[in-house]
Amino acid sequence: MGDAALIGESLRLMGIGMGIVFCFLLLLVALLRLTSWLVLRLGQPDPGPAVTLATAQKDADVPGDIVAAIAAAVARHRSRRSRRG
């Protein structure tokens, strides 16, 4: 086998290998996009109605100072959590 034949065969094998890798990567990207779409579509629960201090006081028979303390604790927890992430 001559040098030209060896170079031609190596280029052919290189093309086949690169084609297989390219097809695999395209398949991987498609599967990741499908998985992402499914998680976004099925993974998020519907957010309920927003509970504010005023609606919590109207709907519950809990004294206002307790509701205010709970609201302050939730606000502090959310502010600490947002600083960490």
Side-chain angles (χ1 to χ4, degrees), residues 71-85:
V74 169
R76 182 175 175 148
H77 172 73
R78 287 182 180 167
S79 70
R80 281 185 177 175
R81 196 169 167 193
S82 66
R83 278 189 273 152
R84 273 192 280 159

Side-chain angles (χ1 to χ4, degrees), residues 5-50:
L6 285 175
I7 290 177
E9 186 69 19
S10 64
L11 289 174
R12 188 175 72 84
L13 287 174
M14 182 183 69
I16 291 171
M18 289 176 67
I20 289 172
V21 169
F22 183 73
C23 290
F24 174 76
L25 290 175
L26 283 178
L27 180 65
L28 185 65
V29 167
L31 287 175
L32 285 174
R33 286 184 184 252
L34 175 67
T35 304
S36 173
W37 180 80
L38 284 173
V39 166
L40 288 175
R41 184 85 169 157
L42 303 175
Q44 291 180 341
D46 289 335

